[in-house]
């Protein structure tokens, strides 16, 4: 029984390793990029990062460039509201 359990565990780990980036991909942008477009560190930056990542996971944003552009739009909408 141990050999089968150990073998199954190793196979499971290989599957997780293979698909981990598609299950939980790294964000396209980070706080440093948002800072470079004029968003100061703080709650607003966190809110924008969270929303950008949600849009990325929902495939509403498909590239780093799209994420930066959306970040600029969000920055402008928060500043003017």
């Amino acid at each position: 029984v141990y050999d089968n359990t150990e073998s199954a565990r190793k196979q499971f780990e290989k599957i997780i390793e293979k698909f981990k980036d598609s299950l939980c991909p790294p964000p396209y942008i980070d706080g440093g990029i948002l800072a470079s477009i004029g968003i100061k560190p703080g709650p607003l930056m966190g809110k924008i990062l969270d929303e950008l990542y949600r849009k990325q996971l929902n495939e509403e944003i498909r590239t780093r460039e799209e994420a930066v552009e959306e970040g600029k739009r969000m920055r402008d909408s928060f500043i003017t509201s």
Side-chain angles (χ1 to χ4, degrees):
V1 173
Y2 174 78
D3 290 335
N4 288 337
T5 303
E6 185 66 19
S7 176
R9 184 186 63 76
K10 287 181 181 180
Q11 287 177 335
F12 180 73
E13 287 174 354
K14 286 180 185 178
I15 291 169
I16 294 298
E17 184 65 29
K18 181 177 180 180
F19 292 104
K20 74 178 180 180
D21 283 342
S22 62
L23 296 172
C24 190
Y28 290 135
I29 64 174
D30 59 19
I33 294 171
L34 291 183
S36 75
I37 61 169
I39 300 170
K40 295 179 181 171
L44 176 60
M45 179 183 280
K47 185 175 182 176
I48 291 173
L49 284 171
D50 288 346
E51 183 63 13
L52 290 172
Y53 192 58
R54 185 197 64 75
K55 288 182 176 218
Q56 176 184 335
L57 293 176
N58 289 326
E59 298 181 344
E60 297 170 42
I61 295 173
R62 296 180 183 269
T63 67
R64 179 177 182 254
E65 292 75 21
E66 287 179 3
V68 170
E69 289 305 311
E70 182 65 15
K72 289 177 183 177
R73 280 191 291 276
M74 294 171 79
R75 171 201 65 199
D76 295 344
S77 73
F78 284 118
I79 289 172
T80 59
S81 59

